[in-house]
Coordinates of all heavy atoms in Angstrom, one line a residue:
I261 N -1.6 -4.8 -1.2 CA -1.3 -4.1 0.1 C -0.2 -4.8 0.8 O 0.7 -4.2 1.4 CB -2.5 -3.8 0.9 CG1 -2.2 -2.6 1.9 CG2 -3.0 -5.0 1.7 CD1 -3.3 -1.8 2.3
C262 N -0.2 -6.2 0.8 CA 0.9 -7.0 1.4 C 2.2 -6.6 0.8 O 3.2 -6.4 1.6 CB 0.6 -8.5 1.3 SG -0.9 -9.0 2.2
E263 N 2.3 -6.5 -0.5 CA 3.5 -6.2 -1.2 C 4.0 -4.8 -0.7 O 5.2 -4.6 -0.5 CB 3.3 -6.1 -2.7 CG 3.0 -7.4 -3.4 CD 4.2 -8.3 -3.6 OE1 5.0 -7.9 -4.4 OE2 4.4 -9.3 -2.9
L264 N 3.1 -3.9 -0.6 CA 3.5 -2.5 -0.4 C 3.9 -2.3 1.1 O 4.7 -1.3 1.3 CB 2.3 -1.6 -0.7 CG 1.9 -1.4 -2.2 CD1 0.7 -0.6 -2.3 CD2 3.1 -0.8 -3.0
V265 N 3.5 -3.1 2.0 CA 3.8 -2.8 3.4 C 4.9 -3.7 4.0 O 5.4 -3.4 5.1 CB 2.6 -2.7 4.3 CG1 1.6 -1.7 3.8 CG2 1.9 -4.1 4.5
K266 N 5.2 -4.8 3.3 CA 6.2 -5.7 3.9 C 7.5 -5.0 4.1 O 8.0 -4.2 3.3 CB 6.4 -6.9 2.9 CG 6.8 -8.1 3.6 CD 7.0 -9.3 2.7 CE 5.7 -10.0 2.5 NZ 5.7 -11.1 1.6
N267 N 8.1 -5.2 5.3 CA 9.4 -4.6 5.7 C 9.3 -3.1 6.0 O 10.3 -2.4 6.2 CB 10.5 -4.8 4.7 CG 10.8 -6.3 4.6 OD1 10.9 -7.0 5.6 ND2 10.9 -6.8 3.4
K268 N 8.1 -2.5 6.1 CA 7.9 -1.1 6.5 C 7.6 -1.1 8.0 O 7.2 -2.1 8.5 CB 6.7 -0.5 5.7 CG 7.0 -0.1 4.3 CD 5.9 0.7 3.7 CE 6.2 1.5 2.5 NZ 6.9 0.9 1.5
T269 N 7.9 0.1 8.6 CA 7.5 0.2 10.0 C 5.9 0.3 10.0 O 5.3 0.5 9.0 CB 8.0 1.5 10.6 OG1 7.4 2.6 10.0 CG2 9.5 1.6 10.4
L270 N 5.4 0.1 11.2 CA 3.9 0.1 11.3 C 3.4 1.4 10.9 O 2.3 1.5 10.2 CB 3.5 -0.2 12.8 CG 3.9 -1.6 13.3 CD1 3.4 -1.8 14.7 CD2 3.3 -2.7 12.4
D271 N 4.0 2.5 11.3 CA 3.5 3.8 10.9 C 3.6 4.1 9.4 O 2.7 4.6 8.8 CB 4.2 4.9 11.7 CG 3.8 4.9 13.1 OD1 2.6 4.5 13.4 OD2 4.6 5.3 14.0
E272 N 4.7 3.6 8.8 CA 4.8 3.8 7.3 C 3.7 2.9 6.6 O 3.1 3.4 5.7 CB 6.2 3.2 6.9 CG 7.4 4.1 7.1 CD 8.7 3.4 6.9 OE1 8.8 2.2 6.8 OE2 9.7 4.1 6.8
A273 N 3.5 1.7 7.2 CA 2.5 0.9 6.6 C 1.1 1.5 6.6 O 0.3 1.5 5.7 CB 2.5 -0.5 7.3
L274 N 0.8 2.2 7.8 CA -0.5 2.8 7.9 C -0.6 4.0 7.0 O -1.7 4.5 6.7 CB -0.7 3.3 9.4 CG -0.9 2.1 10.4 CD1 -1.0 2.7 11.8 CD2 -2.2 1.3 10.1
G275 N 0.5 4.5 6.5 CA 0.5 5.6 5.5 C 0.1 5.2 4.1 O -0.1 6.0 3.2
V276 N 0.1 3.9 3.9 CA -0.2 3.4 2.6 C -1.8 3.4 2.4 O -2.5 2.7 3.2 CB 0.3 1.9 2.4 CG1 -0.2 1.3 1.0 CG2 1.8 1.9 2.4
G277 N -2.2 4.2 1.5 CA -3.7 4.3 1.3 C -4.2 3.5 0.2 O -3.5 2.9 -0.6
F278 N -5.6 3.5 0.1 CA -6.2 2.7 -1.0 C -5.9 3.3 -2.4 O -5.8 2.5 -3.3 CB -7.7 2.7 -0.7 CG -8.5 4.0 -0.9 CD1 -9.1 4.2 -2.2 CD2 -8.6 4.9 0.1 CE1 -9.8 5.4 -2.3 CE2 -9.3 6.1 -0.1 CZ -9.9 6.3 -1.3
K279 N -5.5 4.6 -2.4 CA -5.2 5.1 -3.7 C -3.8 4.6 -4.2 O -3.6 4.4 -5.4 CB -5.1 6.7 -3.7 CG -6.5 7.3 -3.6 CD -6.5 8.8 -3.6 CE -7.9 9.3 -3.6 NZ -8.0 10.6 -2.8
D280 N -2.9 4.4 -3.2 CA -1.6 3.8 -3.5 C -1.8 2.4 -4.1 O -1.2 1.9 -5.0 CB -0.7 3.7 -2.3 CG -0.5 5.1 -1.6 OD1 -0.2 6.0 -2.4 OD2 -0.7 5.2 -0.4
V281 N -2.7 1.6 -3.4 CA -2.9 0.2 -3.8 C -3.5 0.2 -5.2 O -3.0 -0.5 -6.1 CB -3.9 -0.4 -2.8 CG1 -4.3 -1.8 -3.3 CG2 -3.3 -0.5 -1.4
A282 N -4.5 1.0 -5.4 CA -5.2 1.1 -6.8 C -4.2 1.5 -7.8 O -4.1 1.0 -8.9 CB -6.4 2.0 -6.7
G283 N -3.4 2.5 -7.5 CA -2.4 3.1 -8.4 C -1.4 2.0 -8.8 O -1.0 1.9 -10.0
E284 N -0.9 1.3 -7.8 CA 0.1 0.2 -8.1 C -0.5 -0.8 -9.0 O 0.3 -1.5 -9.7 CB 0.5 -0.4 -6.8 CG 1.7 0.2 -6.1 CD 3.0 0.3 -6.9 OE1 3.4 -0.7 -7.5 OE2 3.6 1.4 -6.9
L285 N -1.8 -1.1 -8.9 CA -2.4 -2.1 -9.7 C -2.7 -1.6 -11.1 O -3.2 -2.3 -12.0 CB -3.7 -2.6 -9.1 CG -3.4 -3.5 -7.9 CD1 -4.7 -3.7 -7.1 CD2 -2.8 -4.9 -8.3
G286 N -2.4 -0.3 -11.4 CA -2.6 0.2 -12.7 C -4.1 0.5 -13.0 O -4.6 0.1 -14.0
S287 N -4.7 1.1 -12.0 CA -6.1 1.5 -12.1 C -7.1 0.3 -11.8 O -6.9 -0.8 -12.3 CB -6.5 2.2 -13.4 OG -6.8 1.2 -14.4
L288 N -8.1 0.6 -11.1 CA -9.2 -0.3 -10.8 C -10.5 0.3 -11.4 O -10.6 1.5 -11.4 CB -9.4 -0.4 -9.3 CG -8.5 -1.4 -8.6 CD1 -8.7 -1.2 -7.1 CD2 -8.7 -2.8 -8.9
P289 N -11.4 -0.5 -11.9 CA -12.7 0.0 -12.3 C -13.3 0.8 -11.1 O -13.2 0.3 -10.0 CB -13.5 -1.2 -12.6 CG -12.5 -2.3 -12.8 CD -11.4 -2.0 -12.0

């Protein structure tokens, strides 16, 4: 999540959801 929101505006950062995080990691159990 740190990787995904760095240099984003606060509102853009708040738009990053847990599905984005899981998706970026290539699926979580």
Side-chain angles (χ1 to χ4, degrees):
I261 202 153
C262 292
E263 292 282 290
L264 292 175
V265 302
K266 208 177 273 181
N267 297 316
K268 280 191 163 45
T269 68
L270 296 181
D271 289 331
E272 284 169 346
L274 290 175
V276 173
F278 70 96
K279 287 182 177 146
D280 302 311
V281 173
E284 272 301 315
L285 286 167
S287 84
L288 279 171

